[in-house]
Amino acid sequence: MIPQEDRDETPGAPRKTPQMGATRTPLHLVFQACIAVLIGIGIVSLLSEVAPAQLALAGVLVAVVAWVVEHGFNLPPANSKPGARVRMILQMVSLVGFTMAISPLLTLLEA
């Protein structure tokens, strides 16, 4: 047992100081987010002749469907390889839908 006067103010193990270049966000998640945003921007540019309101509605519907599938169906456990893959795909689809929903708003802000 450590004497009272030798203890730190905070209970538990001391925190490690982060190393140079260390990040708290895993880089594979950042990579997946970048890919999903690029796919969303690509879809929006391909559907440029569609009305912005319809494009935003389609993006919202894609995000809602991805959410319903993720929460409404029995998926494999998240800590298994198939479950992790399914959840990664659903997260990417949801981010693509979000990008599709937000991009018409960005064009309105530029005008």
Side-chain angles (χ1 to χ4, degrees), residues 75-92:
L75 300 175
N79 56 357
S80 68
K81 198 175 258 191
R85 287 182 180 156
V86 167
R87 282 174 175 73
M88 179 200 65
I89 290 170
L90 287 173
Q91 289 172 354
M92 288 184 71

Side-chain angles (χ1 to χ4, degrees), residues 58-73 75 86-98:
V60 169
L61 289 176
V62 167
V64 167
V65 166
W67 181 83
V68 166
V69 169
E70 187 174 359
H71 292 285
F73 292 98
L75 300 175
V86 167
R87 282 174 175 73
M88 179 200 65
I89 290 170
L90 287 173
Q91 289 172 354
M92 288 184 71
V93 167
S94 180
L95 190 55
V96 166
F98 179 76

Side-chain angles (χ1 to χ4, degrees), residues 21-43:
T23 178
R24 290 181 182 224
T25 305
L27 290 179
H28 69 281
L29 294 178
V30 174
F31 179 71
Q32 290 171 7
C34 290
I35 294 297
V37 168
L38 288 174
I39 290 171
I41 291 172
I43 290 172

Side-chain angles (χ1 to χ4, degrees), residues 4-15:
Q4 186 67 27
E5 61 272 4
D6 292 339
R7 286 195 219 171
D8 284 319
E9 301 297 310
T10 58
R15 288 184 178 230

